[in-house]
């Protein structure tokens, strides 16, 4: 198992380019199942979750050609409508094939994801929505079986709570359903809008993408398309915080500044100097110690839960007391205990973390427990005195492409050891 060895201290300076969004690429790959024509997807990040999804699609019947960051998927025929436990247990986003499979073949068998490091993460809302679109859902032997032999039909679906992949799954089901579908209380994340942009290029009729009410008029078939995935806003946010926590001067390029708006607002309040240098770059400069600023995670356009861990690392170095409230997942503070081993002063109370800063962090051996929590440990290590060894970095490799190379290029002392 790989480890990162990080020596804290250097101020990060220079430019970091942002790759394509993992959470946008995953539904886009699943969407390729909706047509028997080739779909070309560009700016696909080379991370482990993408390779897992690609394996699943090949099992289902897709031919995949990879050329750098471009993947061409062609699925003339579905050979298996199943997402097996072996894949779903390593990546919950595998459930994104549920909607496309039922829409295209009238049948899907998808393993139920089990528990997860950050919370229970059920998929009941995906299933409820599919039932409303006319699918019959049964559960047996740890699998969900969905059947709609006569095809799906449009319906009005009101989500009980906002779900990102749930919204994406049902959009993909509804684009080939007979009649009209209205999704209310839908997720407004940029990744949902990006999926709708791809589906529209494939011939789907969708209105309201990026808003909480999405209107879909079902079509008989979809065709091939060529689509470039949006920039990864969580990667961009992680590097903005890397600039802040090292008191550095970093330019984050090839990103969508608007997508990190909630984080930028907090960093400005904390005292960082941030300028949007052009339509796709943001510069952060932190010449003096930051002030603590509270954060509550929310659905987009609120403060992303996927940046909460990294922000917690930053607040250990800010002056004062910050309260972080996690409203999306019930167990997303595993990184706090590891940071405490490095000297952070964090008290956990249910879904709240109270951080008193600044504390002097010192390098230690720590264990990565989930994707964003591990990225937060890298950030804490950049600010710590001495050497930190982070074990189980395969969690980071799920969602960050070459994070160590990108950080090293702007001055971090970080290396991967096998
Ligand atoms: C997506 O997960 C992202 N994953 C997550 O990113 C992200 O943290 C999350 O959205 C929230 O922004 C992908 O896009 C692949 P949800 P998702 O359904 O869709 C509850 C990362 O680090 N819920 O929006 O699985 C659920 O338990 C990952 O890149 C139900 O109760 O999250 C949670 O409390 C981690 N029933 C809340 O809704 C359901 O059927 C939001 O979850 C579905 C969800």
């Amino acid at each position: 198992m790989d480890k990162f060895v990080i020596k804290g201290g250097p101020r990060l300076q220079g430019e970091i380019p942002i790759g394509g969004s993992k959470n946008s690429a995953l539904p886009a790959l699943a969407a390729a199942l909706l047509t028997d024509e080739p779909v070309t997807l560009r700016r696909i990040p080379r991370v482990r979750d993408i390779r897992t999804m690609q394996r699943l699609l090949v099992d289902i019947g897709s031919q995949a050609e990879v050329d750098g960051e471009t993947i061409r998927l062609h699925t003339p025929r579905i050979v298996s409508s199943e997402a097996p436990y072996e894949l779903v247990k390593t990546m919950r986003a595998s459930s994104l094939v549920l909607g496309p499979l039922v829409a295209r073949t009238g049948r899907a068998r998808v393993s139920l994801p089990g528990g997860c490091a950050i919370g229970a993460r059920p998929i009941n809302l995906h299933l409820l929505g599919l039932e409303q679109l006319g699918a019959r859902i049964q559960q047996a032997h740890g699998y969900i079986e969905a059947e709609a032999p006569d095809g799906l039909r449009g319906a009005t679906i009101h989500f009980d709570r906002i779900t990102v992949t749930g919204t994406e799954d049902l959009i993909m089901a509804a684009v080939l359903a007979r009649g009209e579908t209205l999704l209310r209380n839908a997720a407004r994340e940029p990744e949902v809008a990006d999926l709708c942009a791809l589906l529209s290029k494939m011939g789907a009729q969708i209105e309201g993408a990026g808003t909480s009410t999405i209107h879909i008029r079902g079509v008989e078939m979809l065709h091939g398309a060529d689509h470039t995935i949006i920039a990864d806003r969580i990667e961009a946010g992680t590097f903005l915080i890397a600039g802040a926590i090292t008191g550095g001067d970093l330019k984050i390029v090839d990103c969508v500044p608007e997508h990190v708006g909630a984080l930028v607002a907090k960093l400005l309040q904390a005292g960082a100097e941030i300028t949007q240098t052009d339509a796709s770059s943001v510069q952060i400069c932190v010449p003096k110690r930051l002030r603590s600023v509270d954060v509550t995670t929310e659905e987009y356009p609120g403060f992303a839960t996927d940046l909460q861990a990294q922000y917690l690392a930053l607040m250990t170095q800010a002056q004062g007391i910050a309260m972080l409230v996690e409203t999306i997942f019930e167990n997303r503070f595993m990184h706090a205990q590891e940071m405490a081993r490095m000297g952070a002063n964090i008290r956990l109370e249910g879904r709240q973390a109270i951080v008193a800063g600044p504390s002097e962090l010192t390098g230690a051996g720590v264990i990565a427990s989930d994707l964003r929590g591990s990225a937060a440990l890298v950030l804490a290590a950049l600010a710590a005195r001495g050497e930190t060894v982070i074990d189980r970095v395969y969690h980071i490799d799920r969602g960050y492409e070459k994070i160590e190379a990108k950080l090293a290029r702007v001055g971090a002392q970080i290396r991967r050891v096998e």
Side-chain angles (χ1 to χ4, degrees), residues 15-311:
E15 257 185 40
I16 300 193
I18 300 305
S21 158
K22 163 187 82 86
N23 288 347
S24 210
L26 288 169
L29 290 164
L33 293 175
L34 288 163
T35 172
D36 61 5
E37 292 185 15
V39 173
T40 301
L41 298 171
R42 301 178 194 275
R43 205 182 184 188
I44 297 284
R46 283 164 289 191
V47 297
R48 206 157 55 96
D49 275 7
I50 296 296
R51 290 193 288 276
T52 307
M53 182 60 102
Q54 199 184 313
R55 251 176 69 202
L56 174 58
L57 297 183
V58 169
D59 281 358
I60 288 174
S62 305
Q63 296 149 15
E65 268 174 42
V66 181
D67 178 12
E69 293 184 346
T70 302
I71 299 188
R72 184 174 178 273
L73 287 162
H74 186 199
T75 319
R77 213 167 57 81
I78 304 287
V79 294
S80 156
S81 287
E82 180 167 317
Y85 181 56
E86 288 64 45
L87 290 179
V88 179
K89 76 175 179 207
T90 63
M91 190 186 67
R92 313 172 61 81
S94 314
S95 53
L96 279 168
V97 299
L98 190 56
L101 282 176
V102 185
R104 174 134 174 221
T105 67
R107 197 182 161 267
R109 186 167 185 270
V110 173
S111 168
L112 265 176
C116 168
I118 61 174
R121 307 188 71 186
I123 57 162
N124 59 311
L125 299 175
H126 304 223
L127 303 178
L128 211 65
L130 278 176
E131 271 179 339
Q132 285 171 283
L133 292 174
R136 203 161 48 88
I137 308 277
Q138 280 182 317
Q139 184 187 331
H141 310 294
Y143 277 76
I144 291 297
E145 292 189 8
E147 282 195 357
D150 302 323
L152 298 170
R153 49 182 154 64
T156 294
I157 297 167
H158 190 115
F159 288 102
D160 249 7
R161 66 175 294 175
I162 298 173
T163 157
V164 178
T165 50
T167 301
E168 292 163 349
D169 221 357
L170 292 176
I171 290 172
M172 290 189 279
V175 286
L176 287 180
R178 269 193 317 279
E180 298 190 10
T181 296
L182 200 57
L183 300 178
R184 291 192 188 279
N185 201 25
R188 291 180 289 166
E189 268 64 6
E191 295 77 20
V192 177
D194 196 29
L195 170 68
C196 292
L198 164 65
L199 291 168
S200 300
K201 287 181 190 168
M202 294 168 70
Q205 297 203 5
I206 305 174
E207 277 166 30
T211 76
S212 56
T213 304
I214 300 178
H215 183 217
I216 299 162
R217 208 166 284 120
V219 295
E220 231 159 76
M221 57 188 290
L222 295 178
H223 50 76
D226 190 315
H227 183 70
T228 302
I229 300 296
I230 54 169
D232 195 313
R233 63 192 168 102
I234 307 302
E235 189 194 18
T238 302
F239 288 134
L240 276 173
I241 296 175
I245 204 168
T246 61
D249 188 354
L250 273 187
K251 188 172 175 191
I252 313 297
V253 302
D254 303 332
C255 66
V256 183
E258 189 193 330
H259 291 173
V260 284
L263 171 66
V264 166
K266 290 292 170 184
L267 293 174
L268 286 171
Q269 246 178 293
E273 292 168 13
I274 301 180
T275 36
Q276 185 176 331
T277 40
D278 59 52
S280 60
S281 337
V282 186
Q283 178 112 24
I284 180 162
C285 180
V286 177
K288 55 180 194 309
R289 188 167 290 288
L290 296 179
R291 293 181 291 276
S292 299
V293 176
D294 296 347
V295 146
T296 298
T297 63
E298 276 169 27
E299 294 86 0
Y300 190 83
F303 192 99
T305 171
D306 288 348
L307 286 171
Q308 174 261 105
Q310 301 88 316
Y311 187 80

